[in-house]
C-alpha cells in the first residue's frame, strides 16, 4: 500500500541536525575504514534500501552476480546513508545532498543506475520524476543500458518497470513515476513533475560549462519542493585545474568534511571523498626544494583511494598503465593521476612548466590586497600586458616591503566579452575569477579605463619611482599608453619591455625569491591559474615564458608580473631617479 501523499512545503531542518563532518578522515582512509561519519540512520529505511540494492544483478558480468556480492562496500555505505537519512515518521530528510569523489574504475555509472532503481522502489509519491544526468551522451546511454539490463535480469522488476528506449525513460507501472536518463541540460527540467531524486555523474566535466551552477540551483530548487527530494553527485577529480561549479562544490564539501561549518546552518550535505591525506598528496616546501618524489606515486599507497579495488581493477594492472603514461611526459602523468588517484591538478603540470610554479602556493599572503600592499611597501613598480580583443589584459603591482625588503605582489585581469565566445574552454575559469574579485569582463575601452583608475591610485600614493616605474610591451599597446598617460604616468616612468629575452631575468629571479621565501603574493586563483599555464621555452641561454608557447591557456597577468619584477630588480626608490637601470640583475 502506498503511503499518503504529503503536499505541504518541506520542513525546516530541525535544530538537532546531524553533524556530517568527518575530521578524522585521514586516519580512516589510512586504515581502510568507512569515510562516512557515525550517523543515527533510520535503520528500517537504510536496511530496506540496501536489501533492494543487494538483490539487483549486474547485467554485463559473467554469471550476473548480485550487487550484494559484487558491489564495493563504499557504495553500499552510500546506499544506506541515502535512504537511512529519511525520517518516515516526521516526513523529514536529514541529508539533502550527497557528494562522492571516487577515482576512475569505481563502477560509479553502474552503481548509480542501480541506485536510481532502488529510489523508484522506495518511492511513495505518484507521478514523480527521478533524473540521472551524465556529462555526455555516451555516459547517459551507458547508465540507461545498465538500468534496463538490471530490470531484464529480474522477473519481478520486468513486471513493474517499462523501459522506453527512444525516450531514455523507465516508467514505474505502480506509481506512474519515471526515471529519465539524459545529458546535463537545463531543458531536461522542463515538464518534470514532482522531482524526488537526481543523480549527477562526473561533475568535473560539467564544471567547465558556464551554466552548471545555474542548473544545480534549479535542480536543488526542484528537489526542495518535495520533502524526500535528494541530490547525489558522483565524480572523479578534474583532469584539468578545477574550475566553475566543480571547484566550488568540491571546496564546500571539503569544508563540511573538515568540520568548518560545524554549528552553522547550511544545506545538509554528506561528503564521501576518496583522496590522499595531505602528507601523501603534497610535499612541504623543503621537500620540493630537495627534489623529493611525492608519496602518492608509490603504488603501495594507491589502495587508500581505490574503494573498488579488485572489482575488477587491480594495483598490478594500474602499475603497467602508470609506466606507459610516464613515457608520454609529466602532463600525461598528471592527467592519469587525476583520474585514477584523485590527485588534484594544480600548477606546473608539464615538463616545460615554470619551476617557480611548484613553490607558488607556499608563498601566499592571505591578508594581502592592493591597499595592504601600498600600506606595507616603500616603493612599488607596475607591469601591464595586453593584446587583441581575444587576449586577457593583465596588471601586476610589485612592492618592496618596509624593513624586511620582501617583495609583495597583487594582480588583476580583464577580458572583453568576445573572449567568452572565442575561448569557451576557459569561460568557467574566468567566471571564478570574477567571483573572487580579481577579474572583470568589460569591453576593451572600459577595461583600459578601469586599469587606469587603479594605476591613478598607485600614482597618487607617491610610491612609484620617477623613472622605470611601469613596464609594458609596446606592441599593440597604443590605447594602453593613452590610458596610462591619463592616469598620471609620465613618459619617464614608462619602460618598454619586449617579451622574450628582456623578461628572462625575471623568470629566474622570481623563482629564486619563491625558493628563499622573500617573495609573497596575494591569494588569487587568477594567478594560480596563469602560473600553471606557463610553459618555458629555451632560446639560446635564456629561459623565456611567452604567450605563443602557452597557446590558448592565457598567461597575460603573469607576463605583467614578470615586467613588474624586472623593474623591482633594479632597486628603485620612490619618487627618485634610479641610476643603473639597464643592469638586468635580479636580486
Amino acid at each position: 500500500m502506498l503511503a499518503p501523499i504529503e503536499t505541504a512545503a518541506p520542513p525546516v531542518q530541525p535544530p538537532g541536525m546531524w553533524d556530517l563532518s568527518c575530521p578524522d578522515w585521514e586516519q580512516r582512509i589510512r586504515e581502510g575504514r568507512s569515510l562516512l561519519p557515525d550517523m543515527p540512520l533510520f535503520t528500517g529505511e537504510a536496511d530496506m534500501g540496501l536489501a533492494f540494492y543487494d538483490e539487483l544483478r549486474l547485467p554485463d558480468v559473467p554469471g550476473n552476480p548480485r550487487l550484494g556480492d559484487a558491489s564495493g562496500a563504499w557504495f553500499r555505505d552510500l546506499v544506506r546513508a541515502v535512504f537511512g537519512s529519511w525520517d518516515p515518521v516526521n516526513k523529514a530528510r536529514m541529508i539533502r545532498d550527497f557528494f562522492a569523489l571516487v577515482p576512475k574504475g569505481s563502477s560509479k555509472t553502474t552503481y548509480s543506475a542501480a541506485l536510481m532503481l532502488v529510489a523508484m522502489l522506495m518511492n511513495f509519491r505518484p507521478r514523480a520524476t527521478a533524473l540521472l544526468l551524465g556529462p555526455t551522451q555516451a555516459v547517459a546511454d551507458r547508465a540507461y543500458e545498465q538500468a534496463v539490463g538490471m530490470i531484464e535480469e529480474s522477473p519481478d522488476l520486468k513486471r513493474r518497470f517499462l523501459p522506453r528506449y527512444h525516450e531514455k525513460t523507465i516508467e514505474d507501472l505502480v506509481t506512474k513515476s519515471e526515471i529519465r536518463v539524459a545529458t546535463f541540460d537545463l531543458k531536461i527540467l522542463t515538464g518534470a513533475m514532482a522531482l524526488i531524486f537526481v543523480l549527477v555523474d562526473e561533475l568535473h566535466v560539467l564544471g567547465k560549462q558556464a551554466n552548471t551552477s545555474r542548473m544545480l540551483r534549479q535542480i536543488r530548487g526542484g528537489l526542495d519542493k518535495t520533502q524526500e527530494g535528494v541530490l547525489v553527485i558522483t565524480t572523479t577529480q578534474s583532469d584539468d585545474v578545477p574550475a566553475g561549479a566543480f571547484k566550488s562544490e568540491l571546496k564546500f564539501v571539503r569544508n563540511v568534511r573538515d568540520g568548518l561549518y560545524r554549528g552553522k546552518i547550511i544545506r545538509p550535505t554528506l561528503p564521501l571523498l576518496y583522496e590522499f591525506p595531505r602528507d601523501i598528496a603534497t610535499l612541504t616546501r623543503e621537500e620540493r626544494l630537495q627534489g623529493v618524489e611525492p608519496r602518492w606515486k608509490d603504488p603501495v599507497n594507491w589502495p587508500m583511494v581505490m574503494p573498488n579495488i579488485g572489482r575488477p581493477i587491480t594495483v598490478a594492472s594500474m602499475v603497467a598503465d602508470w609506466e606507459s603514461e610516464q613515457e608520454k611526459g609529466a602532463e600525461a602523468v598528471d592527467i592519469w593521476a587525476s583520474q585514477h588517484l584523485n590527485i588534484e591538478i594544480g600548477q606546473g603540470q608539464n615538463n616545460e612548466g615554470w619551476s617557480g610554479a611548484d613553490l607558488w602556493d607556499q608563498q601566499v599572503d592571505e591578508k594581502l590586497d592592493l591597499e595592504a600592499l601600498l600600506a606595507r611597501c616603500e616603493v612599488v613598480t607596475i607591469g601591464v600586458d595586453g593584446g587583441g580583443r581575444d587576449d586577457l589584459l593583465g596588471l601586476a603591482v610589485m612592492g618592496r616591503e618596509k624593513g624586511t625588503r620582501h617583495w609583495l605582489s597583487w594582480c588583476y585581469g580583464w577580458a572583453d566579452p568576445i573572449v567568452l565566445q572565442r575561448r569557451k574552454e576557459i569561460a568557467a575559469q574566468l567566471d571564478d575569477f570574477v567571483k573572487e574579485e580579481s577579474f572583470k569582463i568589460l569591453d576593451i575601452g572600459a577595461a583600459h579605463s578601469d586599469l587606469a583608475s587603479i594605476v591613478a591610485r598607485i600614482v597618487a600614493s607617491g610610491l612609484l619611482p620617477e623613472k622605470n616605474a611601469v613596464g609594458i610591451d609596446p606592441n599593440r599597446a597604443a590605447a594602453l599608453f593613452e590610458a596610462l598617460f591619463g592616469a598620471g604616468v609620465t613618459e619617464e616612468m614608462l619602460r618598454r619591455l619586449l617579451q622574450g629575452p628582456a623578461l628572462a631575468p625575471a623568470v629566474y629571479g622570481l623563482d629564486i625569491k619563491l625558493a628563499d621565501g622573500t617573495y609573497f603574493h596575494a591569494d588569487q586563483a587568477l594567478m594560480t591559474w596563469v602560473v600553471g599555464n606557463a610553459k618555458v621555452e629555451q632560446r639560446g641561454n635564456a629561459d623565456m615564458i611567452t604567450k605563443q608557447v602557452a597557446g590558448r591557456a592565457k598567461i597575460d597577468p603573469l607576463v605583467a608580473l614578470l615586467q613588474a619584477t624586472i623593474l623591482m630588480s633594479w632597486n628603485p626608490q620612490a619618487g627618485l631617479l634610479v641610476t643603473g637601470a639597464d643592469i638586468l640583475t635580479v636580486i
Side-chain angles (χ1 to χ4, degrees):
M1 179 181 297
L2 293 177
I5 304 304
E6 300 291 336
T7 57
V12 176
Q13 190 70 19
M17 60 187 298
W18 297 352
D19 180 3
L20 302 177
S21 66
C22 189
D24 63 338
W25 70 271
E26 291 187 319
Q27 181 179 350
R28 286 174 177 243
I29 204 167
R30 291 179 198 275
E31 297 172 356
R33 294 191 287 134
S34 173
L35 297 183
L36 295 185
D38 297 330
M39 298 172 288
L41 297 176
F42 298 94
T43 55
E45 298 294 310
D47 292 345
M48 185 183 300
L50 185 60
F52 281 137
Y53 177 82
D54 283 349
E55 288 304 313
L56 296 174
R57 292 184 176 274
L58 292 175
D60 57 349
V61 176
N64 306 118
R66 296 167 59 254
L67 280 173
D69 300 319
S71 175
W74 72 275
F75 204 87
R76 297 180 76 246
D77 285 348
L78 182 63
V79 171
R80 294 194 82 252
V82 168
F83 298 109
S85 57
W86 168 250
D87 181 350
V89 175
N90 297 309
K91 301 294 187 291
R93 174 159 284 288
M94 305 304 293
I95 307 175
R96 280 284 182 176
D97 288 12
F98 296 80
F99 189 107
L101 179 74
V102 288
K104 187 176 181 180
S106 298
S107 300
K108 295 188 308 300
T109 302
T110 297
Y111 295 166
S112 296
L115 186 62
M116 297 297 285
L117 289 176
V118 177
M120 287 290 100
L121 293 170
M122 296 287 286
N123 172 48
F124 56 78
R125 185 180 296 273
R127 302 186 185 281
T129 300
L131 301 176
L132 195 157
L133 305 178
T136 65
Q137 191 62 50
V139 172
D141 288 347
R142 166 71 173 165
Y144 183 77
E145 292 297 332
Q146 290 295 86
V148 171
M150 291 175 192
I151 292 171
E152 292 176 345
E153 289 299 319
S154 168
D156 292 333
L157 296 184
K158 286 172 69 175
R159 286 192 293 269
R160 177 157 181 171
F161 293 109
L162 175 63
R164 292 190 175 90
Y165 290 87
H166 64 290
E167 296 177 346
K168 290 293 188 292
T169 63
I170 300 173
E171 181 184 357
D172 184 338
L173 298 175
V174 174
T175 64
K176 302 302 179 184
S177 298
E178 72 173 8
I179 296 174
R180 296 185 188 181
V181 180
T183 55
F184 195 80
D185 195 314
L186 200 59
K187 65 185 179 183
I188 193 63
L189 293 178
T190 303
M193 306 288 285
L195 200 58
I196 59 167
F197 199 98
V198 177
L199 195 147
V200 177
D201 195 15
E202 298 295 18
L203 182 65
H204 81 273
V205 178
L206 302 169
K208 300 174 184 178
Q209 302 176 13
N211 68 340
T212 300
S213 293
R214 177 187 172 198
M215 181 70 170
L216 289 175
R217 284 195 298 271
Q218 294 215 17
I219 287 173
R220 287 179 170 123
L223 289 167
D224 287 348
K225 293 176 182 177
T226 61
Q227 290 93 336
E228 69 273 26
V230 61
L231 170 65
V232 178
I233 295 173
T234 59
T235 185
T236 60
Q237 182 55 262
S238 175
D239 58 0
D240 200 347
V241 178
F246 175 75
K247 176 183 176 181
S248 58
E249 294 284 334
L250 181 57
K251 179 180 179 180
F252 173 75
V253 294
R254 281 173 171 167
N255 287 344
V256 173
R257 176 197 63 189
D258 296 342
L260 298 185
Y261 299 131
R262 190 174 295 159
K264 298 181 180 180
I265 302 299
I266 60 169
R267 186 177 182 85
T269 302
L270 181 64
L272 182 60
L273 312 178
Y274 281 89
E275 47 189 4
F276 285 116
R278 295 173 182 87
D279 67 308
I280 295 178
T282 61
L283 296 174
T284 65
R285 182 171 173 273
E286 290 72 22
E287 288 173 332
R288 289 177 183 272
L289 292 174
Q290 294 168 10
V292 175
E293 280 287 306
R295 284 170 281 275
W296 63 260
K297 291 186 176 183
D298 186 346
V300 171
N301 293 319
W302 292 357
M304 282 189 203
V305 294
M306 298 169 59
N308 237 44
I309 190 73
R311 300 173 187 270
I313 193 169
T314 64
V315 171
S317 64
M318 289 180 62
V319 168
D321 197 27
W322 161 256
E323 295 293 341
S324 297
E325 292 303 303
Q326 290 192 91
E327 294 300 316
K328 301 175 186 177
E331 186 172 2
V333 165
D334 283 345
I335 292 174
W336 184 93
S338 73
Q339 297 302 284
H340 291 83
L341 301 175
N342 278 343
I343 295 295
E344 182 173 320
I345 291 180
Q347 57 272 16
Q349 68 266 32
N350 50 71
N351 285 329
E352 297 82 26
W354 177 45
S355 58
D358 292 333
L359 301 171
W360 187 258
D361 286 343
Q362 308 289 332
Q363 294 303 113
V364 167
D365 185 335
E366 295 179 352
K367 297 181 179 179
L368 189 61
D369 57 17
L370 179 59
E371 294 304 319
L373 185 148
L374 295 178
R376 291 165 57 181
C377 291
E378 60 189 11
V379 64
V380 300
T381 57
I382 294 173
V384 179
D385 185 66
R389 290 177 62 211
D390 60 350
D391 267 331
L392 304 188
L393 172 62
L395 169 71
V397 182
M398 179 71 79
R400 190 173 68 226
E401 191 173 27
K402 302 169 186 173
T404 66
R405 292 182 64 86
H406 289 164
W407 290 8
L408 311 177
S409 74
W410 173 89
C411 301
Y412 208 86
W414 296 262
D416 190 281
I418 199 171
V419 173
L420 302 181
Q421 299 301 318
R422 296 181 179 176
R423 303 287 185 263
K424 292 181 180 180
E425 70 276 11
I426 64 172
Q429 282 96 339
L430 299 186
D431 185 55
D432 286 341
F433 309 147
V434 171
K435 291 175 182 176
E436 80 163 359
E437 299 183 348
S438 64
F439 200 83
K440 288 181 182 176
I441 305 294
L442 297 172
D443 67 70
I444 195 67
H448 287 169
S449 296
D450 198 46
L451 180 148
S453 68
I454 296 175
V455 173
R457 289 165 56 195
I458 301 170
V459 171
S461 72
L463 296 177
L464 287 173
E466 294 180 357
K467 186 178 180 182
N468 299 322
V470 181
I472 184 171
D473 186 336
N475 291 323
R476 297 188 293 177
L480 272 173
F481 281 125
E482 289 300 316
L484 291 171
F485 291 143
V489 174
T490 66
E491 180 66 39
E492 289 74 21
M493 288 180 175
L494 278 177
R495 178 75 182 206
R496 293 160 176 80
L497 294 171
L498 292 172
Q499 293 184 38
L503 298 184
V507 176
Y508 299 127
L510 207 55
D511 185 8
I512 292 171
K513 294 191 74 66
L514 282 163
D516 67 17
T518 59
Y519 163 63
F520 298 87
H521 57 85
D523 187 9
Q524 296 173 300
L526 168 67
M527 294 308 295
T528 299
W529 181 63
V530 297
V531 165
N533 289 339
K535 295 185 179 180
V536 177
E537 178 184 13
Q538 186 78 30
R539 193 176 299 172
N541 293 324
D543 285 346
M544 290 165 293
I545 293 174
T546 67
K547 285 190 286 189
Q548 287 76 17
V549 173
R552 298 177 73 179
K554 299 300 183 181
I555 62 168
D556 306 76
L558 175 59
V559 173
L561 179 62
L562 296 176
Q563 291 165 336
T565 297
I566 285 290
L567 300 184
M568 184 57 67
S569 74
W570 296 342
N571 193 31
Q573 305 299 315
L576 298 175
L577 288 174
V578 180
T579 59
D582 291 327
I583 301 174
L584 297 177
T585 303
V586 178
I587 297 174

